[in-house]
Amino acid sequence: MPHHPDHDHEIENLAEFDQAVARGPLNGYRVQSVDLTDRTAALLATDAADAVFLGCPMADEATAKVRADGALVFPPVPDLPFDPYRGLLYTPEALFEGLAQHGYEATPDALGYAWFGRTRTDGDIFASMLRSIHDDAISDALDEHLRNVPVVGVMGGHAMARGTDAYRGAAVLARTLARAGLTVATGGGPGAMEAANLGAYASPHPDDMLDEALVLLGRIPSFVPSVTEWASAAFAVRSRWPAGGDSVGIPTWFYGHEPPNVFATHIAKYFANATREDGLLARCTAGVVFLPGAAGTVQEIFDNATPNYYESRGEPTPMVLVDRAHWTERLPAWPLLQSLARGRSMEPRIALVDTVAEAPEALARLRAATASG
């Protein structure tokens, strides 16, 4: 494949396509999910040898011509509720399209889960391939979005209800981290995950915005029994206070009962939960804060501890566990984490704090230790 040292060889929108054509041939480019039906003249006039077109609608004559040039053409797949070749992360608006008119069950998010439910166990290699292509495309888009960005993960359970002190604490924590220049990443679902994405969304607004938003959201404490009402309340908050701060949510269709939250401005949604879990933690280059949770959060603690223990991703990254009683008595993950860390380079990069208010200072201290280590 020809190398393009001065620009990215992936084309993800029409503007990038037009710029590439203006520069010269399309040799070696990868064009992802761009509608090229109005670019027939450009395709007929431009050499496309070694290019790859992934899910790009185009006229028949343009398809024939680029194939004759030596390009690979993967046509759009009809009748799918998702685009397996997408070049960009999801937005809340994209996943919840049609929510106000038809309810959650008609949204792309719900339809994507319904398709997953029909195909996940049927043994169809084509469906399995589509899921894999989609998830790989999402990982590529996530890498591009987070390139050279300090990312801090906030992990916690989906059961944390709006209107609780714990939910408020998670939101204030994430607001503090976002205001410190970190990009907040979560599992992208409800509960503690939504609270953290909300806090990051609130970071550019005055402090009282978060106070008011928490009151409004508290009227619909959970996504059960109605995802439509739960998501609509969040969209109402976003409408009242637009231009919120950026954050990332990384949810999965594997847990179909957990809808994505709408406060994550960029959403990397996966079919494969294992890919999602590893990808979320691997991208938390500035560390992870673990709020009280159950089995899923325990799993995340040790999924994160393992590469820190073996240094398989380089220097260990900070880990802050919040709520001493929870992590030493109810679910005693902290003593085991301490034992694993003892005598290793990860030992000065783990901390246990009593309250969520202490977490930002602890994270800053551990990050300083990482930088000086």
Side-chain angles (χ1 to χ4, degrees):
M1 182 194 77
H3 180 55
H4 300 278
D6 57 341
H7 53 82
D8 197 325
H9 67 279
E10 294 180 3
I11 295 174
E12 295 159 345
N13 56 57
L14 275 176
E16 292 177 355
F17 176 84
D18 292 340
Q19 291 166 8
V21 169
R23 283 192 294 262
L26 290 172
N27 299 23
Y29 277 93
R30 279 77 176 101
V31 191
Q32 284 182 261
S33 193
V34 180
D35 189 341
L36 299 175
T37 51
D38 290 333
R39 294 298 188 273
T40 299
L43 290 166
L44 294 178
T46 305
D47 185 14
D50 298 318
V52 179
F53 295 86
L54 300 168
C56 299
M58 62 180 83
D60 290 344
E61 59 180 320
T63 301
K65 188 268 181 185
V66 299
R67 281 179 169 155
D69 287 344
L72 286 175
V73 179
F74 294 78
V77 181
D79 303 322
L80 279 181
F82 64 94
D83 178 1
Y85 304 114
R86 64 179 301 113
L88 303 172
L89 297 177
Y90 291 102
T91 64
E93 291 80 5
L95 286 174
F96 285 96
E97 183 181 1
L99 178 76
Q101 296 83 8
H102 308 293
Y104 174 70
E105 290 71 19
T107 65
D109 186 66
L111 295 174
Y113 176 62
W115 179 89
F116 181 44
R118 292 193 302 271
T119 63
R120 64 190 297 182
T121 59
D122 65 5
D124 183 357
I125 185 62
F126 183 55
S128 175
M129 181 191 73
L130 291 173
R131 292 194 298 268
S132 296
I133 291 173
H134 169 273
D135 285 2
D136 190 66
I138 288 294
S139 290
D140 181 68
L142 188 59
D143 285 338
E144 291 176 0
H145 180 68
L146 295 178
R147 189 174 295 152
N148 301 320
V149 172
V151 180
V152 58
V154 178
M155 308 298 159
H158 69 269
M160 183 184 290
R162 294 169 173 174
T164 63
D165 289 342
Y167 186 98
R168 177 186 180 84
V172 172
L173 164 68
R175 184 178 65 181
T176 302
L177 296 173
R179 287 177 174 176
L182 301 173
T183 293
V184 172
T186 78
M193 297 170 277
E194 181 189 55
N197 289 125
L198 168 64
Y201 185 88
S203 61
H205 292 281
D207 286 358
D208 59 2
M209 172 266 173
L210 181 57
D211 296 332
E212 293 182 54
L214 289 168
V215 171
L216 294 174
L217 292 171
R219 297 170 183 168
I220 310 291
S222 173
F223 63 96
V224 178
S226 172
V227 176
T228 300
E229 293 183 6
W230 173 82
S232 296
F235 274 115
V237 167
R238 286 185 41 145
S239 178
R240 181 169 174 180
W241 292 282
D246 284 346
S247 69
V248 173
I250 307 181
T252 174
W253 277 294
F254 185 82
Y255 298 121
H257 63 287
E258 289 187 14
N261 79 75
V262 310
F263 293 110
T265 52
H266 299 84
I267 300 175
K269 189 149 194 180
Y270 287 90
F271 288 107
N273 186 51
T275 305
R276 169 251 193 169
E277 288 279 5
D278 184 69
L280 170 57
L281 294 166
R283 290 171 174 86
C284 293
T285 54
V288 183
V289 178
F290 297 92
L291 302 174
T297 310
V298 171
Q299 177 184 345
E300 288 165 343
I301 289 172
F302 293 104
D303 279 349
N304 198 48
T306 300
N308 282 347
Y309 180 89
Y310 289 111
E311 299 187 42
S312 56
R313 295 181 186 140
E315 286 290 308
T317 52
M319 300 176 65
V320 178
L321 277 62
V322 176
D323 192 331
R324 188 176 304 273
H326 185 84
W327 295 120
T328 62
E329 299 171 17
R330 288 188 286 276
L331 293 174
W334 174 251
L336 179 53
L337 184 62
Q338 269 191 312
S339 297
L340 283 171
R342 191 166 295 122
R344 306 184 74 88
S345 58
M346 67 182 285
E347 187 172 15
R349 282 116 187 217
I350 64 172
L352 174 67
V353 297
D354 290 306
T355 68
V356 71
E358 300 171 81
E361 187 280 329
L363 180 68
R365 173 168 46 82
L366 298 184
R367 290 189 70 207
T370 301
S372 62

CSV table of all heavy atoms in Angstrom, one decimal, residues 56-106:
chain,number,residue,atom,x,y,z
A,56,CYS,N,-19.4,2.0,0.9
A,56,CYS,CA,-19.6,3.3,0.3
A,56,CYS,C,-20.6,3.2,-0.9
A,56,CYS,O,-20.3,2.6,-1.9
A,56,CYS,CB,-18.3,3.9,-0.2
A,56,CYS,SG,-17.1,4.2,1.1
A,57,PRO,N,-21.8,3.7,-0.7
A,57,PRO,CA,-22.7,3.7,-1.9
A,57,PRO,C,-22.1,4.5,-3.0
A,57,PRO,O,-21.6,5.6,-2.8
A,57,PRO,CB,-24.0,4.4,-1.4
A,57,PRO,CG,-23.9,4.3,0.1
A,57,PRO,CD,-22.4,4.3,0.5
A,58,MET,N,-22.2,3.9,-4.2
A,58,MET,CA,-21.7,4.6,-5.4
A,58,MET,C,-22.4,4.1,-6.7
A,58,MET,O,-23.0,3.0,-6.6
A,58,MET,CB,-20.2,4.5,-5.6
A,58,MET,CG,-19.6,3.1,-5.7
A,58,MET,SD,-17.8,3.0,-5.9
A,58,MET,CE,-17.3,3.0,-4.2
A,59,ALA,N,-22.4,4.8,-7.7
A,59,ALA,CA,-23.0,4.4,-9.0
A,59,ALA,C,-22.3,3.2,-9.5
A,59,ALA,O,-21.1,2.9,-9.3
A,59,ALA,CB,-22.9,5.5,-10.0
A,60,ASP,N,-23.1,2.4,-10.3
A,60,ASP,CA,-22.6,1.1,-10.8
A,60,ASP,C,-21.3,1.3,-11.7
A,60,ASP,O,-20.4,0.6,-11.6
A,60,ASP,CB,-23.6,0.4,-11.6
A,60,ASP,CG,-24.8,-0.2,-10.8
A,60,ASP,OD1,-24.6,-0.3,-9.5
A,60,ASP,OD2,-25.8,-0.5,-11.3
A,61,GLU,N,-21.4,2.4,-12.5
A,61,GLU,CA,-20.2,2.6,-13.4
A,61,GLU,C,-19.0,3.0,-12.6
A,61,GLU,O,-17.8,2.7,-12.9
A,61,GLU,CB,-20.5,3.7,-14.4
A,61,GLU,CG,-20.9,5.1,-13.8
A,61,GLU,CD,-21.2,6.1,-14.9
A,61,GLU,OE1,-20.5,6.1,-15.9
A,61,GLU,OE2,-22.2,6.9,-14.7
A,62,ALA,N,-19.2,3.7,-11.5
A,62,ALA,CA,-18.0,4.1,-10.6
A,62,ALA,C,-17.5,2.9,-9.9
A,62,ALA,O,-16.3,2.7,-9.8
A,62,ALA,CB,-18.5,5.1,-9.6
A,63,THR,N,-18.4,2.0,-9.5
A,63,THR,CA,-18.0,0.7,-8.8
A,63,THR,C,-17.1,-0.1,-9.8
A,63,THR,O,-16.0,-0.6,-9.5
A,63,THR,CB,-19.2,-0.1,-8.4
A,63,THR,OG1,-19.9,0.7,-7.4
A,63,THR,CG2,-18.7,-1.4,-7.7
A,64,ALA,N,-17.6,-0.2,-11.0
A,64,ALA,CA,-16.9,-1.0,-12.1
A,64,ALA,C,-15.5,-0.4,-12.3
A,64,ALA,O,-14.5,-1.1,-12.5
A,64,ALA,CB,-17.7,-1.1,-13.3
A,65,LYS,N,-15.5,0.9,-12.4
A,65,LYS,CA,-14.2,1.6,-12.8
A,65,LYS,C,-13.2,1.4,-11.7
A,65,LYS,O,-12.0,1.1,-11.9
A,65,LYS,CB,-14.5,3.1,-13.0
A,65,LYS,CG,-13.3,3.8,-13.6
A,65,LYS,CD,-12.4,4.5,-12.5
A,65,LYS,CE,-11.3,5.2,-13.1
A,65,LYS,NZ,-10.4,5.7,-12.0
A,66,VAL,N,-13.5,1.6,-10.4
A,66,VAL,CA,-12.5,1.5,-9.3
A,66,VAL,C,-12.1,0.1,-9.1
A,66,VAL,O,-10.9,-0.2,-8.8
A,66,VAL,CB,-13.0,2.1,-8.0
A,66,VAL,CG1,-13.3,3.6,-8.2
A,66,VAL,CG2,-14.2,1.4,-7.4
A,67,ARG,N,-13.0,-0.9,-9.4
A,67,ARG,CA,-12.6,-2.3,-9.4
A,67,ARG,C,-11.6,-2.6,-10.5
A,67,ARG,O,-10.6,-3.3,-10.3
A,67,ARG,CB,-13.8,-3.2,-9.4
A,67,ARG,CG,-14.5,-3.3,-8.1
A,67,ARG,CD,-15.7,-4.2,-8.2
A,67,ARG,NE,-16.3,-4.5,-6.9
A,67,ARG,CZ,-17.5,-4.9,-6.7
A,67,ARG,NH1,-18.4,-4.9,-7.7
A,67,ARG,NH2,-17.9,-5.2,-5.5
A,68,ALA,N,-11.8,-2.0,-11.6
A,68,ALA,CA,-10.9,-2.2,-12.8
A,68,ALA,C,-9.5,-1.6,-12.4
A,68,ALA,O,-8.5,-2.1,-12.9
A,68,ALA,CB,-11.4,-1.5,-14.0
A,69,ASP,N,-9.5,-0.5,-11.6
A,69,ASP,CA,-8.2,0.1,-11.2
A,69,ASP,C,-7.5,-0.8,-10.3
A,69,ASP,O,-6.2,-0.6,-10.1
A,69,ASP,CB,-8.5,1.4,-10.4
A,69,ASP,CG,-8.9,2.6,-11.3
A,69,ASP,OD1,-8.8,2.5,-12.6
A,69,ASP,OD2,-9.5,3.6,-10.8
A,70,GLY,N,-8.2,-1.7,-9.6
A,70,GLY,CA,-7.5,-2.6,-8.7
A,70,GLY,C,-8.0,-2.4,-7.2
A,70,GLY,O,-7.4,-2.9,-6.3
A,71,ALA,N,-9.0,-1.6,-7.1
A,71,ALA,CA,-9.5,-1.3,-5.7
A,71,ALA,C,-10.4,-2.5,-5.2
A,71,ALA,O,-11.0,-3.2,-6.0
A,71,ALA,CB,-10.4,0.0,-5.7
A,72,LEU,N,-10.5,-2.6,-3.9
A,72,LEU,CA,-11.4,-3.6,-3.3
A,72,LEU,C,-12.6,-2.8,-2.9
A,72,LEU,O,-12.5,-1.7,-2.3
A,72,LEU,CB,-10.8,-4.2,-2.1
A,72,LEU,CG,-9.7,-5.3,-2.3
A,72,LEU,CD1,-9.1,-5.7,-1.0
A,72,LEU,CD2,-10.3,-6.5,-3.1
A,73,VAL,N,-13.8,-3.3,-3.2
A,73,VAL,CA,-15.1,-2.7,-2.9
A,73,VAL,C,-15.9,-3.6,-2.0
A,73,VAL,O,-16.3,-4.7,-2.5
A,73,VAL,CB,-15.8,-2.3,-4.2
A,73,VAL,CG1,-17.2,-1.6,-3.8
A,73,VAL,CG2,-15.0,-1.3,-5.0
A,74,PHE,N,-16.1,-3.2,-0.8
A,74,PHE,CA,-17.0,-3.9,0.1
A,74,PHE,C,-18.4,-3.2,0.1
A,74,PHE,O,-18.4,-2.1,0.7
A,74,PHE,CB,-16.5,-4.0,1.5
A,74,PHE,CG,-15.2,-4.9,1.6
A,74,PHE,CD1,-14.0,-4.4,1.2
A,74,PHE,CD2,-15.3,-6.2,2.1
A,74,PHE,CE1,-12.8,-5.1,1.3
A,74,PHE,CE2,-14.1,-6.9,2.2
A,74,PHE,CZ,-12.9,-6.4,1.8
A,75,PRO,N,-19.4,-3.7,-0.5
A,75,PRO,CA,-20.6,-2.9,-0.7
A,75,PRO,C,-21.4,-2.7,0.6
A,75,PRO,O,-21.1,-3.5,1.6
A,75,PRO,CB,-21.4,-3.7,-1.7
A,75,PRO,CG,-20.9,-5.1,-1.6
A,75,PRO,CD,-19.5,-5.0,-1.2
A,76,PRO,N,-22.2,-1.8,0.8
A,76,PRO,CA,-23.1,-1.7,1.9
A,76,PRO,C,-23.9,-2.9,2.1
A,76,PRO,O,-24.3,-3.6,1.2
A,76,PRO,CB,-24.0,-0.5,1.6
A,76,PRO,CG,-23.2,0.3,0.6
A,76,PRO,CD,-22.5,-0.7,-0.2
A,77,VAL,N,-24.1,-3.3,3.4
A,77,VAL,CA,-24.9,-4.5,3.7
A,77,VAL,C,-26.4,-4.1,3.9
A,77,VAL,O,-26.6,-3.3,4.8
A,77,VAL,CB,-24.4,-5.2,4.9
A,77,VAL,CG1,-25.2,-6.5,5.2
A,77,VAL,CG2,-22.9,-5.6,4.7
A,78,PRO,N,-27.3,-4.5,3.2
A,78,PRO,CA,-28.7,-4.1,3.3
A,78,PRO,C,-29.4,-4.6,4.6
A,78,PRO,O,-29.0,-5.7,5.1
A,78,PRO,CB,-29.4,-4.6,2.1
A,78,PRO,CG,-28.6,-5.8,1.7
A,78,PRO,CD,-27.2,-5.5,2.1
A,79,ASP,N,-30.4,-3.9,5.0
A,79,ASP,CA,-31.3,-4.4,6.1
A,79,ASP,C,-30.6,-4.6,7.4
A,79,ASP,O,-31.0,-5.5,8.2
A,79,ASP,CB,-32.0,-5.7,5.6
A,79,ASP,CG,-32.8,-5.5,4.4
A,79,ASP,OD1,-33.4,-4.4,4.2
A,79,ASP,OD2,-32.8,-6.4,3.5
A,80,LEU,N,-29.5,-3.9,7.7
A,80,LEU,CA,-28.9,-3.9,9.0
A,80,LEU,C,-29.3,-2.7,9.8
A,80,LEU,O,-29.4,-1.6,9.2
A,80,LEU,CB,-27.4,-3.9,8.9
A,80,LEU,CG,-26.7,-5.2,8.6
A,80,LEU,CD1,-25.2,-5.0,8.5
A,80,LEU,CD2,-27.0,-6.3,9.6
A,81,PRO,N,-29.5,-2.8,11.1
A,81,PRO,CA,-29.8,-1.6,11.9
A,81,PRO,C,-28.5,-0.8,12.4
A,81,PRO,O,-28.6,0.1,13.2
A,81,PRO,CB,-30.5,-2.2,13.1
A,81,PRO,CG,-29.9,-3.6,13.3
A,81,PRO,CD,-29.6,-4.0,11.9
A,82,PHE,N,-27.4,-1.2,11.9
A,82,PHE,CA,-26.1,-0.6,12.2
A,82,PHE,C,-25.2,-0.6,10.9
A,82,PHE,O,-25.5,-1.4,10.0
A,82,PHE,CB,-25.4,-1.2,13.4
A,82,PHE,CG,-25.0,-2.7,13.1
A,82,PHE,CD1,-23.7,-3.0,12.6
A,82,PHE,CD2,-25.9,-3.7,13.3
A,82,PHE,CE1,-23.3,-4.3,12.4
A,82,PHE,CE2,-25.5,-5.0,13.0
A,82,PHE,CZ,-24.2,-5.3,12.5
A,83,ASP,N,-24.2,0.2,10.9
A,83,ASP,CA,-23.2,0.3,9.8
A,83,ASP,C,-22.0,-0.4,10.3
A,83,ASP,O,-21.2,0.1,11.1
A,83,ASP,CB,-23.0,1.7,9.5
A,83,ASP,CG,-21.9,1.8,8.3
A,83,ASP,OD1,-21.5,0.8,7.8
A,83,ASP,OD2,-21.6,3.0,8.0
A,84,PRO,N,-21.6,-1.6,9.7
A,84,PRO,CA,-20.4,-2.3,10.2
A,84,PRO,C,-19.1,-1.6,9.8
A,84,PRO,O,-18.1,-1.9,10.4
A,84,PRO,CB,-20.6,-3.7,9.5
A,84,PRO,CG,-21.4,-3.4,8.3
A,84,PRO,CD,-22.4,-2.4,8.7
A,85,TYR,N,-19.2,-0.7,8.8
A,85,TYR,CA,-18.0,-0.1,8.4
A,85,TYR,C,-17.8,1.3,8.9
A,85,TYR,O,-16.9,2.1,8.4
A,85,TYR,CB,-18.0,0.0,6.8
A,85,TYR,CG,-18.1,-1.3,6.1
A,85,TYR,CD1,-19.3,-1.6,5.4
A,85,TYR,CD2,-17.2,-2.3,6.2
A,85,TYR,CE1,-19.4,-2.8,4.7
A,85,TYR,CE2,-17.3,-3.5,5.5
A,85,TYR,CZ,-18.5,-3.7,4.8
A,85,TYR,OH,-18.6,-4.9,4.1
A,86,ARG,N,-18.6,1.8,9.9
A,86,ARG,CA,-18.6,3.2,10.3
A,86,ARG,C,-17.2,3.6,10.6
A,86,ARG,O,-16.4,2.9,11.3
A,86,ARG,CB,-19.6,3.4,11.4
A,86,ARG,CG,-19.3,2.7,12.7
A,86,ARG,CD,-20.3,3.1,13.8
A,86,ARG,NE,-20.4,4.5,14.0
A,86,ARG,CZ,-21.5,5.3,13.7
A,86,ARG,NH1,-22.5,4.7,13.2
A,86,ARG,NH2,-21.4,6.6,14.0
A,87,GLY,N,-16.9,4.9,10.3
A,87,GLY,CA,-15.6,5.4,10.5
A,87,GLY,C,-15.5,6.3,11.7
A,87,GLY,O,-14.4,6.7,12.1
A,88,LEU,N,-16.7,6.6,12.3
A,88,LEU,CA,-16.7,7.6,13.5
A,88,LEU,C,-17.4,6.9,14.6
A,88,LEU,O,-18.2,6.0,14.5
A,88,LEU,CB,-17.4,8.8,13.1
A,88,LEU,CG,-16.9,9.6,11.9
A,88,LEU,CD1,-17.8,10.8,11.5
A,88,LEU,CD2,-15.5,10.1,12.2
A,89,LEU,N,-17.2,7.4,15.8
A,89,LEU,CA,-17.9,7.0,17.0
A,89,LEU,C,-19.4,7.4,16.9
A,89,LEU,O,-19.7,8.3,16.2
A,89,LEU,CB,-17.3,7.6,18.3
A,89,LEU,CG,-15.8,7.1,18.5
A,89,LEU,CD1,-15.3,7.9,19.8
A,89,LEU,CD2,-15.7,5.6,18.7
A,90,TYR,N,-20.2,6.7,17.7
A,90,TYR,CA,-21.6,7.1,17.8
A,90,TYR,C,-21.8,8.4,18.6
A,90,TYR,O,-20.9,8.8,19.4
A,90,TYR,CB,-22.4,6.0,18.5
A,90,TYR,CG,-22.5,4.7,17.7
A,90,TYR,CD1,-21.8,3.6,18.0
A,90,TYR,CD2,-23.5,4.6,16.7
A,90,TYR,CE1,-21.9,2.4,17.3
A,90,TYR,CE2,-23.6,3.4,15.9
A,90,TYR,CZ,-22.8,2.4,16.2
A,90,TYR,OH,-23.0,1.2,15.5
A,91,THR,N,-22.9,9.0,18.4
A,91,THR,CA,-23.3,10.1,19.3
A,91,THR,C,-24.6,9.7,19.9
A,91,THR,O,-25.3,8.8,19.4
A,91,THR,CB,-23.6,11.4,18.4
A,91,THR,OG1,-24.7,11.1,17.5
A,91,THR,CG2,-22.4,11.8,17.7
A,92,PRO,N,-25.0,10.3,21.0
A,92,PRO,CA,-26.3,10.0,21.6
A,92,PRO,C,-27.5,10.2,20.7
A,92,PRO,O,-28.4,9.4,20.7
A,92,PRO,CB,-26.4,10.9,22.8
A,92,PRO,CG,-25.0,11.2,23.2
A,92,PRO,CD,-24.2,11.3,21.9
A,93,GLU,N,-27.4,11.2,19.9
A,93,GLU,CA,-28.5,11.5,18.9
A,93,GLU,C,-28.6,10.4,17.9
A,93,GLU,O,-29.7,10.0,17.5
A,93,GLU,CB,-28.2,12.8,18.2
A,93,GLU,CG,-28.3,14.0,19.1
A,93,GLU,CD,-27.1,14.3,20.0
A,93,GLU,OE1,-26.1,13.6,19.8
A,93,GLU,OE2,-27.1,15.2,20.8
A,94,ALA,N,-27.5,9.8,17.5
A,94,ALA,CA,-27.5,8.7,16.5
A,94,ALA,C,-28.1,7.5,17.1
A,94,ALA,O,-29.0,6.8,16.5
A,94,ALA,CB,-26.1,8.4,16.0
A,95,LEU,N,-27.7,7.1,18.3
A,95,LEU,CA,-28.2,5.9,18.9
A,95,LEU,C,-29.7,6.0,19.4
A,95,LEU,O,-30.4,5.0,19.4
A,95,LEU,CB,-27.4,5.5,20.1
A,95,LEU,CG,-26.0,4.9,19.8
A,95,LEU,CD1,-25.2,4.7,21.1
A,95,LEU,CD2,-26.1,3.6,19.0
A,96,PHE,N,-30.1,7.2,19.7
A,96,PHE,CA,-31.5,7.4,20.2
A,96,PHE,C,-32.4,8.1,19.2
A,96,PHE,O,-33.4,8.6,19.5
A,96,PHE,CB,-31.5,8.2,21.5
A,96,PHE,CG,-31.0,7.4,22.7
A,96,PHE,CD1,-29.7,7.5,23.1
A,96,PHE,CD2,-31.9,6.6,23.4
A,96,PHE,CE1,-29.3,6.7,24.2
A,96,PHE,CE2,-31.5,5.9,24.5
A,96,PHE,CZ,-30.2,6.0,24.9
A,97,GLU,N,-32.0,8.0,17.9
A,97,GLU,CA,-32.8,8.6,16.9
A,97,GLU,C,-34.2,8.1,16.9
A,97,GLU,O,-34.4,6.8,16.9
A,97,GLU,CB,-32.2,8.4,15.5
A,97,GLU,CG,-32.9,9.1,14.4
A,97,GLU,CD,-32.3,8.8,13.0
A,97,GLU,OE1,-31.3,8.1,13.0
A,97,GLU,OE2,-32.8,9.3,12.0
A,98,GLY,N,-35.2,8.9,16.9
A,98,GLY,CA,-36.6,8.5,16.9
A,98,GLY,C,-37.2,8.3,18.3
A,98,GLY,O,-38.4,7.9,18.4
A,99,LEU,N,-36.4,8.6,19.3
A,99,LEU,CA,-36.9,8.4,20.7
A,99,LEU,C,-38.2,9.1,21.0
A,99,LEU,O,-39.2,8.6,21.5
A,99,LEU,CB,-35.8,8.8,21.7
A,99,LEU,CG,-36.2,8.6,23.2
A,99,LEU,CD1,-36.1,7.2,23.6
A,99,LEU,CD2,-35.2,9.5,24.0
A,100,ALA,N,-38.2,10.4,20.6
A,100,ALA,CA,-39.3,11.3,21.0
A,100,ALA,C,-40.6,10.9,20.2
A,100,ALA,O,-41.7,11.0,20.7
A,100,ALA,CB,-39.0,12.7,20.7
A,101,GLN,N,-40.4,10.4,19.0
A,101,GLN,CA,-41.6,10.1,18.1
A,101,GLN,C,-42.1,8.7,18.4
A,101,GLN,O,-43.3,8.5,18.4
A,101,GLN,CB,-41.2,10.2,16.7
A,101,GLN,CG,-40.8,11.6,16.2
A,101,GLN,CD,-39.3,12.0,16.6
A,101,GLN,OE1,-38.6,11.1,17.0
A,101,GLN,NE2,-39.0,13.2,16.4
A,102,HIS,N,-41.2,7.7,18.6
A,102,HIS,CA,-41.7,6.3,18.6
A,102,HIS,C,-41.3,5.5,19.8
A,102,HIS,O,-41.6,4.4,20.0
A,102,HIS,CB,-41.1,5.6,17.4
A,102,HIS,CG,-41.4,6.3,16.1
A,102,HIS,ND1,-42.7,6.4,15.6
A,102,HIS,CD2,-40.6,7.0,15.2
A,102,HIS,CE1,-42.6,7.1,14.4
A,102,HIS,NE2,-41.4,7.4,14.2
A,103,GLY,N,-40.5,6.2,20.8
A,103,GLY,CA,-40.1,5.5,22.0
A,103,GLY,C,-38.8,4.7,21.7
A,103,GLY,O,-38.3,4.5,20.6
A,104,TYR,N,-38.2,4.2,22.8
A,104,TYR,CA,-36.9,3.6,22.8
A,104,TYR,C,-36.9,2.4,21.9
A,104,TYR,O,-35.9,2.1,21.2
A,104,TYR,CB,-36.4,3.2,24.2
A,104,TYR,CG,-35.1,2.5,24.2
A,104,TYR,CD1,-33.9,3.1,23.8
A,104,TYR,CD2,-35.1,1.1,24.5
A,104,TYR,CE1,-32.7,2.4,23.8
A,104,TYR,CE2,-33.9,0.4,24.5
A,104,TYR,CZ,-32.7,1.0,24.1
A,104,TYR,OH,-31.6,0.3,24.1
A,105,GLU,N,-37.9,1.6,21.9
A,105,GLU,CA,-37.9,0.3,21.2
A,105,GLU,C,-37.7,0.5,19.7
A,105,GLU,O,-37.2,-0.4,19.0
A,105,GLU,CB,-39.2,-0.4,21.4
A,105,GLU,CG,-39.4,-1.0,22.8
A,105,GLU,CD,-39.7,0.1,23.8
A,105,GLU,OE1,-40.0,1.3,23.4
A,105,GLU,OE2,-39.5,-0.1,25.0
A,106,ALA,N,-37.9,1.7,19.1
A,106,ALA,CA,-37.7,2.0,17.7
A,106,ALA,C,-36.4,2.6,17.4
A,106,ALA,O,-36.1,2.9,16.2
A,106,ALA,CB,-38.9,2.8,17.2
